[in-house]
Amino acid sequence: MRYIDSHSHLADAVFDEDRGAVIERAAAAGAAAVVCIGASLADAARARDLASAYPLLRWTAGIHPQEAGSFDADSDIAALGALLDAGAVGIGECGLDFHYDNAPRLRQHEAFEAQLILAAERDLPVIVHTREAESDTAIMIDRAARDGVVGVLHCYTGSLALAERAIGYGWYVSFSGIITFKSWTDLALLRAIPDDRVLVESDAPYLAPVPWRGKRNEPALVVHTIERLAEVRDVAPELLAERCLENTERLFGFTTRP
Ligand SMILES: [Zn+2]
């Protein structure tokens, strides 16, 4: 199977001991690329450095809603812009998280909005995290889409309505190992995303799919998520993996073909 892990936190310190082995296992499992997410300015700088050391990696730069507490619209956006100049394929992850509420909601809004504006200016896709913040997310996506911004709702667990709204704007929806959990019952959502809009991701080190649930996740394990999604969608896993790969390349504007 040939696939892309569209969202992985490989810059996380939990991979410091064995990152090279993790990336080798991903390649051995069939990963043609792994998108290494920058969830803060420091994290994005690490992602950039890793991508120059490991050819399998692409990278992004953004400010996660949980990192938005100290967001400064001038200095942080300038720093983010400088990082993007170094070859990031997208902006994010960014978004809204009203489940953990680790940062004040006003700050989360400010940080997300500023990143959406930057995405429009730079013509870069956004990687959006949304949790228990659907109506606010919908309003902000509406506005961004009017400015021509395209993106992905990553590790998606929300409503079909929000997914369809995003798809209507030419956006994508990405599924993680959560869909392999027994607690996942929304099979209709898994079937509803069109073939040309669906992505898969590890979101490593979090959310390892069954049978690895509870362990540290890594990009090689995306295969389990692909197999579950393919089963629900009644398609061959290899074919689904290829579709998701093409969609990821189209969204982020890179190719894994020689
Ligand atoms: Zn993430």
Side-chain angles (χ1 to χ4, degrees):
M1 178 186 301
R2 199 166 165 273
Y3 70 94
I4 293 178
D5 178 356
S6 72
H7 188 116
S8 181
H9 296 271
L10 282 187
D12 193 295
V14 300
F15 294 111
D16 283 353
E17 295 296 312
D18 63 344
R19 189 173 286 107
V22 167
I23 292 168
E24 270 175 36
R25 282 196 292 274
V34 175
V35 180
C36 184
I37 298 296
S40 68
L41 295 173
D43 193 46
R46 284 193 293 274
R48 173 200 61 200
D49 294 346
L50 290 173
S52 65
Y54 298 101
L56 197 70
L57 304 187
R58 306 296 191 280
W59 66 285
T60 72
I63 298 165
H64 192 284
Q66 292 191 30
E67 302 282 339
S70 59
F71 179 73
D72 180 281
D74 295 324
S75 62
D76 286 349
I77 291 300
L80 191 52
L83 275 166
L84 296 173
D85 288 339
V89 298
I91 298 178
E93 61 183 285
C94 52
L96 302 171
D97 193 320
F98 297 167
H99 177 75
Y100 287 113
D101 269 332
N102 282 351
R105 292 183 181 184
L106 188 63
R107 277 285 155 74
Q108 293 191 36
H109 271 281
E110 268 177 24
F112 188 24
E113 179 69 7
Q115 290 175 87
L116 290 172
I117 290 169
L118 189 61
E121 288 170 2
R122 298 280 186 133
D123 197 20
L124 280 170
V126 285
I127 302 98
V128 172
H129 170 111
T130 176
R131 189 150 183 215
E132 292 178 23
E134 284 217 354
S135 55
D136 292 45
T137 301
I139 290 166
M140 293 176 76
I141 283 177
D142 288 351
R143 200 158 49 209
R146 278 199 294 275
D147 292 339
V149 175
V150 175
V152 55
L153 300 177
H154 107 90
C155 192
Y156 193 65
T157 59
S159 71
L160 178 58
L162 180 60
E164 285 181 331
R165 190 169 183 144
I167 286 164
Y169 292 139
W171 285 44
Y172 296 77
V173 174
S174 179
F175 293 114
S176 73
I178 292 182
I179 69 162
T180 69
F181 297 175
K182 269 206 182 65
S183 52
W184 183 283
T185 54
D186 193 355
L187 301 186
L189 177 68
L190 302 186
R191 295 189 184 108
I193 310 305
D195 281 343
D196 62 348
R197 297 304 174 78
V198 63
L199 267 54
V200 286
E201 66 177 273
S202 64
D203 209 10
Y206 316 107
L207 300 168
V210 172
W212 300 94
R213 186 169 182 187
K215 302 278 193 303
R216 185 188 73 172
N217 194 8
E218 62 176 69
L221 302 181
V222 171
V223 169
H224 298 285
T225 302
I226 292 168
E227 283 171 353
R228 176 61 180 148
L229 188 58
E231 181 188 12
V232 173
R233 291 168 69 98
D234 195 20
V235 60
E238 294 75 14
L239 192 63
L240 177 70
E242 186 64 30
R243 291 281 167 280
C244 295
L245 178 150
E246 291 166 0
N247 298 339
T248 307
E249 291 186 343
R250 191 182 319 114
L251 170 64
F252 289 121
F254 67 80
T255 178
T256 57
R257 266 157 251 285

